[in-house]
């Protein structure tokens, strides 16, 4: 499940940046998940944190807009959240 979120983040962010006409290169995506082990657990991963490091030739406003579009088109995150998982995202744009 976490691997799918990473793959989805990779694919969708690059496609959105291309559509918005700016260069965007993912450097690294790290993920941490809290795994529920109780027998009566309702949500297998109550929380997943995605930390994305990327290079971009975009303005801060463009990056914010890309992140907003990601939340719309990002099927992996939407499915996880519908299942009860809280997905936290942190972005780090480097030179």
């Amino acid at each position: 499940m976490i691997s799918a979120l990473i793959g989805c983040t990779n694919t969708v962010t690059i496609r959105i940046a291309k559509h918005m006409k700016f260069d965007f290169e993912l450097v690294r995506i790290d993920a941490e998940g809290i795994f529920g082990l109780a027998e009566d657990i309702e949500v297998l991963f109550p929380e997943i944190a995605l930390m994305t490091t990327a290079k971009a030739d975009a303005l801060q406003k463009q990056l914010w807009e890309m992140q907003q579009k990601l939340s719309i088109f990002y099927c992996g995150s939407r499915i996880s959240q519908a299942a009860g998982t809280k997905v936290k995202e942190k972005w780090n744009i480097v030179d």
Side-chain angles (χ1 to χ4, degrees):
M1 181 173 168
I2 294 175
S3 298
L5 286 173
I6 291 171
C8 193
T9 299
N10 179 30
T11 302
V12 175
T13 49
I14 290 171
R15 292 189 74 183
I16 291 171
K18 186 175 181 178
H19 178 75
M20 293 178 67
K21 297 182 171 67
F22 65 84
D23 290 330
F24 185 84
E25 177 187 344
L26 284 168
V27 175
R28 182 181 181 121
I29 301 174
D30 294 309
E32 292 181 3
I34 296 173
F35 186 69
L37 290 175
E39 288 182 23
D40 61 344
I41 188 132
E42 292 182 25
V43 180
L44 187 59
F45 289 99
E47 186 176 300
I48 296 173
L50 292 174
M51 291 76 63
T52 303
T53 302
K55 295 178 182 180
D57 70 346
L59 301 171
Q60 187 63 37
K61 181 181 177 183
Q62 290 173 301
L63 294 170
W64 181 85
E65 185 179 336
M66 181 185 69
Q67 291 170 1
Q68 298 306 307
K69 288 183 179 192
L70 181 62
S71 67
I72 295 167
F73 298 111
Y74 188 15
C75 60
S77 179
R78 292 176 71 185
I79 292 168
S80 297
Q81 290 176 18
T85 300
K86 183 175 184 180
V87 179
K88 294 182 177 181
E89 295 184 48
K90 181 179 178 187
W91 291 80
N92 183 27
I93 304 300
V94 296
D95 295 330

